[in-house]
Amino acid sequence: MAITAAMVKELRDRTNAGMMDCKKALAETNGDMEAAVDWLRTKGLAAAAKKSGRTAAEGLVGVSVDGTKGAVVEVNSETDFVAKNERFQEFVGQVAELALKADGDIDALANMQMASGGTVAEVLTANIATIGENQSLRRTATLSVDQGAIISYVHNAVVPGMGKIGVLVALESAADEAALMGLGKQLAMHIAASNPMALNGDDLDAELIEREREIAKAKAIESGKPENIAEKMVEGSIAKFKKENALLSQLFVMDGKTPVADVVAAAGKEAGSPITLKAFERFQLGEGIEKEESDFAAEVAAAAGA
């Protein structure tokens, strides 16, 4: 397969590896982008890929909380200008409130009636025609607890409840609401910053763990260590990966030394009632979406006949 400059650039953007290393990786993997990422990582030439990938799409992430239930939604647009549009912001806010009843079902949310008339999907279509830019209702999720609190946080909010990273935290407890809100806000800020992949190490995706295991095996083999030592290296690598990517075992960003699980336990003791970090949701705008890049200067020159 012919390796193009665009392929090399994409791989370089994703891994921060050198241009020639990227070209070689693509050649070695016959142009398979994911395999090329793994090839570079095996050679120690790329950092571990996080679940978010490149963030390229625009729009807004919105959150809404009602008692012991919370919802988060992502609505995408082509440019950042739309995110600053009052009509678009009002739409995202209303959709986030409706999402509380959708229970994470994006199709159900799209078919819900809005107060202004018409379904979410119909109003979105009308907005596209009015604003003049393509938009899409991408995803939604909800969290709830029987007793306790749902805490929301938006990093660098454009307007209250809307921004580029939205987080929900579910705390199950009979503790005072003020104590839960304080802890929940700090945990949400930690989640926004550290981007954990799961609550516990055992909850991490099995395919992801197997992929990490294969990469660790390849590194161990290349190191030339004896088989028994290589096996210990692989298991150590997987244990470290789980610890660094599971929320409860991550070191709390507020002090950089205490595991999140210990932070929650200590807060429960101080509040006089056990606190369970039941679940979390983290939406980052455009994660996993690639948006075509264009050379604006080149487009202007071409239009001018240069």
Side-chain angles (χ1 to χ4, degrees):
M1 179 179 180
I3 308 302
T4 66
M7 292 168 66
V8 174
K9 181 181 183 302
E10 179 182 349
L11 184 58
R12 188 179 185 187
D13 287 343
R14 289 183 57 178
T15 64
N16 289 322
M19 187 176 296
M20 295 308 296
D21 290 325
C22 289
K23 186 175 181 180
K24 184 175 181 180
L26 288 164
E28 291 287 338
T29 57
N30 197 31
D32 186 319
M33 191 62 64
E34 294 304 319
V37 171
D38 288 351
W39 188 93
L40 287 167
R41 291 185 58 200
T42 298
K43 303 298 182 183
L45 299 171
K50 300 294 274 184
K51 70 174 181 180
S52 60
R54 287 181 61 197
T55 302
E58 300 299 339
L60 285 171
V61 171
V63 297
S64 180
V65 175
D66 183 12
T68 55
K69 190 170 188 178
V72 57
V73 298
E74 178 181 354
V75 184
N76 295 127
S77 61
E78 291 182 52
T79 67
D80 187 47
F81 292 108
V82 171
K84 301 171 184 176
N85 181 287
E86 289 185 10
R87 177 168 180 162
F88 182 77
Q89 292 173 354
E90 183 180 354
F91 173 76
V92 174
Q94 291 175 356
V95 170
E97 291 181 5
L98 287 174
L100 288 164
K101 299 178 181 179
D103 292 325
D105 187 329
I106 193 69
D107 293 325
L109 179 58
N111 288 304
M112 285 184 174
Q113 290 289 322
M114 299 193 71
S116 58
T119 66
V120 170
E122 290 169 344
V123 174
L124 181 63
T125 299
N127 286 349
I128 293 172
T130 303
I131 297 175
E133 183 172 307
N134 189 33
Q135 299 157 47
S136 65
L137 177 64
R138 187 185 180 204
R139 55 179 173 159
T140 181
T142 58
L143 289 181
S144 64
V145 292
D146 294 327
Q147 183 182 34
I150 300 295
I151 300 91
S152 66
Y153 169 71
V154 176
H155 184 64
N156 288 340
V158 177
V159 291
M162 284 175 252
K164 293 193 174 184
I165 298 179
V167 177
L168 294 177
V169 175
L171 296 178
E172 195 99 62
S173 178
D176 180 72
E177 183 179 357
L180 295 178
M181 294 299 292
L183 172 64
K185 189 66 71 176
Q186 287 192 326
L187 291 173
M189 292 173 70
H190 169 97
I191 292 166
S194 64
N195 192 13
M197 295 182 178
L199 186 63
N200 298 287
D202 292 339
D203 296 332
L204 287 164
D205 182 72
E207 291 186 6
L208 174 64
I209 294 299
E210 186 57 31
R211 179 175 175 181
E212 291 298 319
R213 189 179 299 279
E214 291 303 315
I215 292 171
K217 282 181 181 178
K219 287 183 176 180
I221 291 172
E222 286 206 353
S223 71
K225 301 290 184 182
E227 185 175 346
N228 63 322
I229 301 298
E231 289 177 358
K232 291 181 180 179
M233 289 173 61
V234 171
E235 292 310 312
S237 178
I238 294 302
K240 181 182 178 183
F241 180 82
K242 287 184 176 182
K243 181 179 180 181
E244 292 178 346
N245 290 285
L247 174 57
L248 288 173
S249 57
Q250 287 182 331
L251 298 182
F252 196 38
V253 294
M254 301 298 175
D255 66 14
K257 61 181 181 181
T258 310
V260 169
D262 292 349
V263 171
V264 176
K269 287 182 178 180
E270 185 175 341
S273 179
I275 299 174
T276 299
L277 175 50
K278 182 180 177 182
F280 73 92
E281 288 288 347
R282 180 188 186 276
F283 277 19
Q284 181 165 338
L285 183 66
E287 56 189 357
I289 297 177
E290 295 279 347
K291 188 170 78 171
E292 290 185 11
E293 296 181 12
S294 61
D295 186 334
F296 184 68
E299 289 180 6
V300 172

